[in-house]
Amino acid sequence: MSDAVFHPDVDELPLSKVLAALADPARLAMVRAVAGTDGLSCTLLDRTAGLELSKSTLSHHQRILREAGITRTRIEGSRRVLTLRREELDARFPGLVAAVLASPTEPTRAAAKAAAAR
Amino acid sequence: MSDAVFHPDVDELPLSKVLAALADPARLAMVRAVAGTDGLSCTLLDRTAGLELSKSTLSHHQRILREAGITRTRIEGSRRVLTLRREELDARFPGLVAAVLASPTEPTRAAAKAAAAR
């Protein structure tokens, strides 16, 4: 991935695109994990969110969130570090991120697998 | 459509399902149109939301919203009347509906077509 990662202008984002990006248990878990931090690497994010995703799946989710203006990806050496674009999102969609973060969590695939193995 | 239309228990709905149902410009317009009313028929809803959708497309969107616990469909003679399940949604996902309703509207296909024809 090049240093010039595309980030859309949140002021021009349609709500439907943001909602579509959020409409996935793994991506919701990533947003929750990254919220309130000053950045999490993809690897650390996977662990914090309890996702146990492959690198390619994680990369896919990272791209969807980034292209929908939800997270910002910065390159630090070989790591991709994600932050939540909280202020910009709050300005365009007041209350949306807060509502998402306040909502009940739902089991991700890894959590469901662990529960089944118990 | 039978009188026994399926409505899920909002208390058991995962957020991702609700977000997926909302992640569409036409369905967002339907939710905005029906909010604050005590019910809108599909025909009236189409007109209020400025959608100009076919009956089958409207019926499809109605089903997605209903199965995601966002709207309730009641049968009145030959009409299907939609209401927003606002209180139940507010209880499970505090602030979510308010955030969606407060967000900037986005052009639906009919609006985009009208703008292009000008």
Side-chain angles (χ1 to χ4, degrees), chain B residues 9-46:
Chain B
D9 187 346
V10 172
D11 282 346
E12 284 169 12
L13 281 178
L15 177 61
S16 58
K17 179 159 185 162
V18 174
L19 295 176
L22 290 171
D24 178 277
R27 291 196 292 273
L28 281 174
M30 288 170 75
V31 167
R32 286 180 206 281
V34 88
T37 74
D38 55 2
L40 275 183
S41 70
C42 275
T43 316
L44 205 54
L45 203 157
D46 183 60

Coordinates of all heavy atoms in Angstrom, one line a residue, chain B residues 9-46:
Chain B
D9 N -38.6 -9.2 17.0 CA -38.5 -8.5 18.4 C -37.3 -7.6 18.3 O -36.2 -8.1 18.1 CB -38.3 -9.7 19.4 CG -38.3 -9.1 20.8 OD1 -38.3 -7.9 21.0 OD2 -38.5 -9.9 21.8
V10 N -37.5 -6.3 18.5 CA -36.5 -5.3 18.4 C -35.4 -5.6 19.4 O -34.2 -5.3 19.2 CB -37.0 -3.9 18.5 CG1 -35.9 -2.8 18.5 CG2 -37.9 -3.6 17.2
D11 N -35.8 -6.1 20.6 CA -34.9 -6.4 21.7 C -33.8 -7.4 21.3 O -32.8 -7.5 22.0 CB -35.6 -6.9 22.9 CG -36.3 -5.7 23.7 OD1 -35.9 -4.6 23.3 OD2 -37.1 -6.0 24.5
E12 N -34.0 -8.1 20.3 CA -33.1 -9.2 19.9 C -32.3 -8.8 18.6 O -31.5 -9.6 18.1 CB -33.8 -10.5 19.8 CG -34.1 -11.1 21.1 CD -35.1 -12.3 21.1 OE1 -35.3 -12.8 20.0 OE2 -35.6 -12.7 22.1
L13 N -32.6 -7.7 18.1 CA -32.0 -7.3 16.8 C -30.5 -6.9 16.9 O -30.2 -6.1 17.8 CB -32.7 -6.1 16.2 CG -34.0 -6.5 15.4 CD1 -34.7 -5.2 15.0 CD2 -33.8 -7.4 14.3
P14 N -29.7 -7.4 16.1 CA -28.3 -6.9 16.1 C -28.2 -5.6 15.3 O -29.0 -5.3 14.3 CB -27.5 -8.0 15.3 CG -28.5 -8.8 14.5 CD -29.9 -8.5 15.1
L15 N -27.4 -4.7 15.8 CA -27.2 -3.3 15.2 C -26.9 -3.4 13.7 O -27.4 -2.6 12.9 CB -26.2 -2.5 16.0 CG -25.8 -1.2 15.5 CD1 -27.0 -0.2 15.5 CD2 -24.7 -0.6 16.2
S16 N -26.0 -4.4 13.4 CA -25.6 -4.5 12.0 C -26.8 -4.7 11.0 O -26.8 -4.2 9.9 CB -24.6 -5.6 11.8 OG -25.1 -6.8 12.2
K17 N -27.8 -5.4 11.5 CA -29.0 -5.7 10.6 C -29.8 -4.4 10.4 O -30.2 -4.1 9.3 CB -29.8 -6.8 11.3 CG -31.1 -7.1 10.4 CD -31.7 -8.4 10.7 CE -32.8 -8.6 9.7 NZ -33.3 -10.0 9.5
V18 N -29.9 -3.6 11.5 CA -30.7 -2.4 11.4 C -29.9 -1.4 10.5 O -30.5 -0.8 9.6 CB -30.9 -1.8 12.8 CG1 -31.5 -0.4 12.8 CG2 -31.7 -2.7 13.7
L19 N -28.6 -1.3 10.7 CA -27.8 -0.4 9.8 C -27.8 -0.8 8.4 O -28.0 0.0 7.5 CB -26.3 -0.4 10.3 CG -26.1 0.2 11.7 CD1 -24.7 0.1 12.1 CD2 -26.6 1.6 11.8
A20 N -27.8 -2.1 8.1 CA -27.9 -2.6 6.7 C -29.2 -2.2 6.1 O -29.2 -1.8 4.9 CB -27.7 -4.1 6.7
A21 N -30.3 -2.3 6.8 CA -31.6 -1.9 6.3 C -31.7 -0.5 6.0 O -32.3 0.0 5.1 CB -32.7 -2.4 7.2
L22 N -31.0 0.3 6.8 CA -31.1 1.8 6.7 C -30.1 2.3 5.6 O -30.2 3.4 5.1 CB -30.7 2.5 8.0 CG -31.7 2.4 9.2 CD1 -31.1 2.9 10.4 CD2 -33.0 3.1 8.8
A23 N -29.2 1.4 5.2 CA -28.1 1.9 4.3 C -28.5 1.9 2.8 O -27.9 1.3 2.0 CB -26.9 0.9 4.5
D24 N -29.6 2.6 2.6 CA -30.1 2.8 1.2 C -30.8 4.1 1.1 O -31.7 4.4 2.0 CB -31.0 1.6 0.9 CG -31.6 1.7 -0.5 OD1 -32.7 2.4 -0.6 OD2 -31.1 1.1 -1.4
P25 N -30.5 4.9 0.1 CA -31.2 6.2 0.0 C -32.7 6.2 0.0 O -33.4 7.0 0.6 CB -30.7 6.8 -1.3 CG -29.4 6.1 -1.5 CD -29.5 4.7 -1.0
A26 N -33.3 5.2 -0.7 CA -34.7 5.1 -0.8 C -35.3 4.7 0.6 O -36.3 5.3 1.0 CB -35.2 4.1 -1.9
R27 N -34.7 3.8 1.2 CA -35.2 3.4 2.5 C -35.0 4.5 3.6 O -35.9 4.6 4.4 CB -34.6 2.0 3.0 CG -35.0 0.9 2.1 CD -34.7 -0.5 2.7 NE -33.3 -0.8 2.8 CZ -32.6 -1.4 1.9 NH1 -33.2 -1.7 0.7 NH2 -31.3 -1.7 2.0
L28 N -33.9 5.2 3.5 CA -33.8 6.4 4.4 C -34.9 7.4 4.2 O -35.5 7.9 5.1 CB -32.4 7.0 4.2 CG -31.2 6.3 4.8 CD1 -29.9 7.0 4.4 CD2 -31.3 6.3 6.3
A29 N -35.2 7.6 2.9 CA -36.3 8.6 2.6 C -37.6 8.1 3.1 O -38.5 8.8 3.6 CB -36.4 8.8 1.1
M30 N -37.8 6.7 3.0 CA -39.1 6.2 3.6 C -39.2 6.4 5.1 O -40.2 6.7 5.6 CB -39.2 4.7 3.2 CG -39.4 4.4 1.7 SD -39.2 2.6 1.3 CE -40.7 1.9 2.0
V31 N -38.0 6.1 5.8 CA -38.0 6.3 7.2 C -38.3 7.7 7.6 O -39.1 8.0 8.5 CB -36.6 5.8 7.8 CG1 -36.4 6.3 9.2 CG2 -36.5 4.3 7.7
R32 N -37.7 8.7 6.9 CA -37.9 10.1 7.2 C -39.4 10.4 6.9 O -40.0 11.2 7.7 CB -37.1 11.0 6.2 CG -35.6 11.0 6.5 CD -34.9 11.9 5.5 NE -33.5 11.6 5.3 CZ -32.5 11.9 6.2 NH1 -32.8 12.6 7.2 NH2 -31.3 11.6 6.0
A33 N -40.0 9.9 5.9 CA -41.3 10.2 5.5 C -42.3 9.7 6.6 O -43.3 10.4 6.9 CB -41.7 9.7 4.1
V34 N -42.0 8.5 7.1 CA -43.0 7.9 8.0 C -42.8 8.4 9.4 O -43.7 8.3 10.2 CB -42.8 6.3 7.9 CG1 -41.8 5.7 8.8 CG2 -44.2 5.7 8.0
A35 N -41.6 8.9 9.7 CA -41.3 9.4 11.1 C -42.3 10.5 11.5 O -42.5 11.4 10.7 CB -39.9 9.8 11.2
G36 N -42.8 10.4 12.7 CA -43.7 11.5 13.1 C -45.1 11.4 12.6 O -46.0 12.2 12.9
T37 N -45.4 10.4 11.8 CA -46.8 10.2 11.3 C -47.4 9.1 12.1 O -46.6 8.3 12.7 CB -46.9 9.8 9.8 OG1 -46.4 8.5 9.7 CG2 -46.0 10.8 9.0
D38 N -48.7 8.9 12.1 CA -49.2 7.7 12.8 C -49.5 6.6 11.7 O -50.3 5.7 12.0 CB -50.4 8.0 13.6 CG -51.5 8.7 12.8 OD1 -51.3 8.9 11.6 OD2 -52.6 9.1 13.4
G39 N -48.8 6.7 10.6 CA -48.9 5.7 9.6 C -49.1 6.3 8.2 O -49.8 7.2 8.0
L40 N -48.4 5.7 7.3 CA -48.5 6.1 5.9 C -48.7 4.8 5.0 O -48.0 3.9 5.2 CB -47.2 6.8 5.4 CG -47.1 8.3 5.7 CD1 -45.8 8.8 5.1 CD2 -48.3 9.1 5.2
S41 N -49.6 4.9 4.1 CA -49.7 3.8 3.1 C -48.5 3.8 2.2 O -47.9 4.8 2.0 CB -51.0 3.9 2.3 OG -50.9 5.0 1.4
C42 N -48.2 2.7 1.6 CA -47.1 2.6 0.7 C -47.2 3.6 -0.4 O -46.2 4.3 -0.8 CB -46.9 1.2 0.1 SG -46.0 0.1 1.2
T43 N -48.4 3.8 -1.0 CA -48.6 4.7 -2.1 C -48.3 6.1 -1.6 O -47.6 6.9 -2.3 CB -50.0 4.6 -2.6 OG1 -50.4 3.2 -2.6 CG2 -50.2 5.3 -3.9
L44 N -48.9 6.5 -0.5 CA -48.7 7.8 0.0 C -47.2 8.1 0.4 O -46.7 9.1 0.2 CB -49.6 8.0 1.3 CG -50.0 9.5 1.6 CD1 -50.6 10.1 0.4 CD2 -51.0 9.5 2.8
L45 N -46.6 7.0 1.0 CA -45.2 7.1 1.4 C -44.3 7.3 0.2 O -43.4 8.2 0.2 CB -44.9 5.7 2.0 CG -43.7 5.7 3.0 CD1 -43.9 4.5 3.9 CD2 -42.4 5.6 2.3
D46 N -44.6 6.7 -0.9 CA -43.8 6.8 -2.1 C -43.9 8.3 -2.6 O -42.9 8.9 -3.0 CB -44.4 5.9 -3.2 CG -43.6 6.0 -4.5 OD1 -42.4 5.7 -4.5 OD2 -44.1 6.3 -5.6

